[in-house]
């Protein structure tokens, strides 16, 4: 059961309530990384503290926070453990979808979120995935319900979820359905093998003759072409993760340098914390964390206007998409450089495996490959030079894959 709220929550109130939770999560981050211990307990704590219901309207028992407030907290959580915001990425998007639906059915799901329901995803498939349509099928049954069959990959957060958003083909139409995570025929596998973000549970999910009630059909649009707020929103979760990584990298490096009594024979000072070259590295790290955070919050401000009053203001979607694309290019370059440069403050001892300082670069590099930045840079250039539309998340649904393309995850 989460903390139920009755009035809009201020940043100070959020910090007071969630700050201690983040601190406890941060204390165990290195051990979890070392032992590949999934983040079930931290997510349970966040659920109990109301984090997973922050965007649920106040009248439904949630926090009623703005997107700027939400993403400020996502950054703080990512600084504690960057795996967790990514694991909850589709959850917060699902909450936003139901908030924007503004229907009795949507409000019931928002109340379920207040009561503790967490949502994961099973959208992407091995091979060409949604570009050529989904191999996962939803078949209507005589009783009005459906039967679900298929295999999904990159099912981020599903091992932590109570419900799973699944994209499937229903008689040639791309649709979404909501499936109980523990339903008969659902198999969730922790086989994500990336070198970063190792605890996001981004593995395989298999659905074998899973019964899906008729009221779990979310509707069309999962893979259909057209503009959507989801592109910028989902990208911003990843950028908030990068901003949090930059902050934790700064904090960890400052703590390491402060405690350091050994230096080099040719160093500029007897203690590394007094060395002006080391001070410059710390200054650049801090600047990277600050600028990444401000970029994320700037995009959140645009999204707040785009999604105001539980309504998608479609005329603002291009502005939100462009803002997120610009931020993506800036934040990725800034954070990747910072998480590499932090090692300049020390000798061989700073690469001690017990410190796990390499996790910051590995996690940042992994987040950065989502929706590759080179494609966003090209899209911005095409927009400015030729007036081309920006590529929204589901534009791939309008493309036809080449027949000689290899099938890859």
């Amino acid at each position: 059961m989460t903390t139920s709220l009755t009035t809009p929550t201020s940043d100070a109130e959020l910090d007071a309530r969630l700050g201690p939770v983040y601190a406890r999560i941060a204390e165990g981050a290195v051990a979890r990384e070392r032992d590949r211990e999934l983040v079930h307990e931290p997510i349970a704590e966040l659920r109990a503290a109301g984090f997973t219901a922050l965007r649920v309207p106040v009248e439904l028992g949630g926090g009623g926070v703005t997107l700027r407030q939400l993403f400020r907290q996502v950054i703080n959580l990512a600084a504690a453990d960057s795996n967790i915001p990514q694991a909850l990425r589709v959850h917060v998007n699902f909450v936003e979808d139901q908030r924007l639906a503004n229907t009795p059915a949507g409000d019931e799901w928002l109340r379920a979120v207040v009561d503790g329901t967490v949502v994961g995803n099973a959208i992407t498939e091995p091979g060409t995935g949604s570009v050529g349509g989904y191999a996962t099928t939803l078949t209507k049954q005589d009783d009005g319900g459906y039967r679900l069959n298929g295999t999904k990959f990159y099912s981020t957060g599903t091992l932590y979820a109570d419900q799973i958003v699944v994209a499937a083909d229903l008689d040639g139409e791309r649709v979404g359905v909501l499936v109980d995570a523990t339903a008969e025929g659902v198999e969730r596998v922790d086989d994500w093998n990336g070198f970063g973000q190792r605890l996001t549970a981004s593995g395989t999910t298999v659905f074998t003759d899973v019964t899906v009630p008729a009221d779990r059909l979310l509707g069309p649009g999962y893979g259909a072409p057209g503009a959507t707020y989801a592109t910028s929103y989902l990208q911003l979760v990843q950028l908030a993760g990068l901003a949090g990584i930059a902050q934790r990298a700064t904090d960890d490096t400052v703590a390491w340098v402060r405690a350091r009594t050994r230096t080099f024979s040719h160093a500029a000072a007897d203690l590394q914390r007094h060395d002006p070259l080391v001070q410059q590295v710390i200054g650049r790290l801090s600047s990277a964390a600050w600028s990444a955070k401000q970029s994320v919050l700037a995009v959140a401000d645009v999204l707040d206007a785009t999604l105001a009053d539980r309504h998608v203001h479609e005329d603002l979607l291009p502005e939100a998409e462009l803002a997120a694309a610009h931020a993506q290019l800036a934040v990725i370059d800034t954070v990747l450089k910072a998480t590499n440069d932090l090692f300049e403050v020390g000798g061989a001892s700073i690469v001690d495996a017990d410190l796990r300082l390499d996790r910051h670069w590995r996690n940042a590099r992994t987040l950065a490959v989502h929706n590759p930045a080179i494609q966003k840079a090209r899209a911005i250039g095409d927009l400015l030079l030729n007036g081309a539309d920006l590529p929204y998340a589901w534009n791939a649904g309008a493309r036809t894959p080449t027949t000689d393309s290899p099938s890859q995850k």
Side-chain angles (χ1 to χ4, degrees), residues 356-377:
R356 290 295 194 277
L357 291 177
D358 62 305
R359 79 185 190 279
H360 298 314
W361 183 89
R362 288 187 291 101
N363 290 340
R365 181 68 270 177
T366 302
L367 285 174
V369 299
H370 290 74
N371 303 310
I374 58 170
Q375 301 295 344
K376 288 295 179 70

Side-chain angles (χ1 to χ4, degrees), residues 165-205:
V165 175
V166 186
D169 179 277
L170 175 60
D171 296 329
E173 182 182 19
R174 297 179 178 92
V175 299
V177 292
L178 204 58
V179 177
D180 290 338
T182 57
E184 184 177 355
V186 176
E187 181 185 6
R188 296 174 286 173
V189 184
D190 180 27
D191 58 353
W192 164 240
N193 197 35
F195 62 57
Q197 296 294 97
R198 298 173 66 243
L199 308 179
T200 57
S202 299
T204 299
T205 307

Side-chain angles (χ1 to χ4, degrees), residues 6 37 91 107 172 176 193 223 236 286 294 309:
T6 57
E37 177 188 342
H91 172 86
D107 285 356
N193 197 35
L236 199 57
S286 180
Q294 299 311 312
D309 304 318

Side-chain angles (χ1 to χ4, degrees), residues 311-368:
H311 175 71
V312 179
H313 298 268
E314 295 188 5
D315 59 314
L316 296 179
L317 284 175
E319 181 182 353
E321 183 70 6
L322 182 58
H326 278 145
Q328 181 181 359
L329 297 180
V331 169
I332 286 173
D333 285 351
T334 298
V335 176
L336 285 179
K337 186 176 189 307
T339 53
N340 179 67
D341 288 353
L342 71 85
F343 294 99
E344 297 295 335
V345 303
S349 56
I350 200 170
V351 300
D352 189 313
D354 288 340
L355 296 173
R356 290 295 194 277
L357 291 177
D358 62 305
R359 79 185 190 279
H360 298 314
W361 183 89
R362 288 187 291 101
N363 290 340
R365 181 68 270 177
T366 302
L367 285 174

Side-chain angles (χ1 to χ4, degrees), residues 12 18 40 103 160 176 196 232 241 247 251 303 310 328 365 375 383 409:
L18 295 172
H40 290 286
T103 62
Y160 308 121
S232 53
Q247 185 59 60
D251 294 344
L303 275 171
R310 300 186 69 174
Q328 181 181 359
R365 181 68 270 177
Q375 301 295 344
L383 166 69
K409 285 183 178 178

